[in-house]
Amino acid sequence: MKLQAVLFDLDGVITDTAEYHYLAWKQMAENIGIGIDREFNEALKGISRMESLERILIHGNRAQDFTPNQRTVLAQEKNEHYISLLTQLLPEHTYPGIGELLEQLKQEKVPAVLASASKNAPRILTSLGLEEMFQYMVSPDGIPGKPAPDIFLNGAEAVGADPRYCIGIEDAQAGIEAIKAAGMYAVGIGEERVLRIAGANIVYESTAELNLSSLLKAASME
Ligand code: BG6
Ligand code: MG
């Protein structure tokens, strides 16, 4: 087997926290008179907290109205709301097929790496009871965010994997672009049309369709 590591996005790949991010941003935006919908939210997926806030302010034509300190407060408010939603998270909220894929990787001694832009990633993995399944969790602090390749490259390097023999799994356009920029095989979860345009090599509608042998075949890494 040529495969050296599988790098997982978190929000929207391992569990449904992409929805919680959306709900918390929507509330924060409404509080300052900006409306956002699900279509606009696609452009926030995979993007860091402060960059997401910036995009919302620009979308509402309000970027000039908030100082850096006020932005920090808005981002904190959103994060507190988001963390309150996370208290609902339980192991059974792990998306279908993810636990099985992690088990298969463990059996084959292929490192699983968490490549998320979220500073809340450790607490989410703990709530899902999955922290033992990952060899390495990228810390996004101080690393250029997606669509830059750095989060994925950092994860591969940490486990000694050659990016050409890595598979990245993502639900966001920015995330797929980051995987491709890192020179890895990109698996998209979600809408085929959108993720193919971003560069996905293969797209599954649901994580339930993921399994190691079909991934290896698709990526020619058997
Ligand atoms: C990404 C999400 O995984 O993490 C984004 O797709 C989110 O929606 C980003 O903004 C940062 O997350 P957090 O938890 O650090 O605010
Ligand atoms: Mg995601």
Side-chain angles (χ1 to χ4, degrees):
M1 190 199 309
K2 295 183 200 155
L3 179 66
Q4 296 184 6
V6 177
L7 295 92
F8 292 76
D9 175 45
L10 171 62
D11 301 308
V13 166
I14 290 178
T15 189
D16 196 21
T17 38
E19 179 67 11
Y20 297 170
H21 278 294
Y22 171 60
L23 295 174
W25 280 130
K26 191 172 169 60
Q27 180 68 60
M28 188 231 73
E30 262 168 31
N31 293 347
I32 54 169
I34 299 174
I36 65 168
D37 59 17
R38 287 181 186 279
E39 195 190 338
F40 172 75
N41 186 58
E42 288 303 309
L44 302 183
K45 287 185 177 172
I47 303 294
S48 76
R49 195 179 307 166
M50 295 312 286
E51 175 66 21
S52 298
L53 173 61
E54 191 63 29
R55 290 188 184 196
I56 291 169
L57 295 178
I58 290 169
H59 176 69
N61 267 323
R62 302 285 308 281
Q64 65 291 348
D65 295 348
F66 295 90
T67 64
N69 281 346
Q70 287 170 322
R71 283 166 203 236
T72 303
V73 172
L74 289 175
Q76 267 165 3
E77 279 170 15
K78 180 269 174 177
N79 194 48
E80 278 161 25
H81 182 189
Y82 176 67
I83 288 174
S84 76
L85 297 173
L86 290 180
T87 56
Q88 308 164 25
L89 260 197
L90 295 168
E92 61 255 39
H93 295 129
T94 304
Y95 272 157
I98 294 292
E100 292 84 344
L101 178 57
L102 289 168
E103 282 294 347
Q104 288 169 340
L105 292 172
K106 199 169 214 175
Q107 266 170 27
E108 298 295 332
K109 299 192 171 31
V110 175
V113 172
L114 193 75
S116 171
S118 173
K119 297 181 186 188
N120 290 298
R123 82 168 76 214
I124 295 172
L125 280 197
T126 302
S127 299
L128 297 175
L130 289 178
E131 68 272 60
E132 297 298 317
M133 302 303 284
F134 289 88
Q135 273 63 53
Y136 184 73
M137 241 189 270
V138 176
S139 166
D141 271 333
I143 301 183
K146 302 169 189 179
D150 305 62
I151 290 179
F152 286 94
L153 290 174
N154 175 292
E157 194 184 351
V159 296
D162 180 335
R164 288 173 300 168
Y165 300 111
C166 290
I167 293 176
I169 310 178
E170 264 286 353
D171 68 317
Q173 295 165 40
I176 294 287
E177 288 169 22
I179 295 171
K180 293 313 297 174
M184 299 177 183
Y185 185 85
V187 176
I189 303 295
E191 206 186 316
E192 167 119 34
R193 186 187 55 84
V194 174
L195 296 177
R196 284 273 187 196
I197 291 170
N201 297 98
I202 192 167
V203 178
Y204 298 113
E205 206 179 313
S206 153
T207 53
E209 295 165 60
L210 290 170
N211 79 70
L212 186 55
S213 57
S214 55
L215 280 183
L216 289 173
K217 207 170 278 170
S220 307
M221 290 188 199
E222 282 167 294

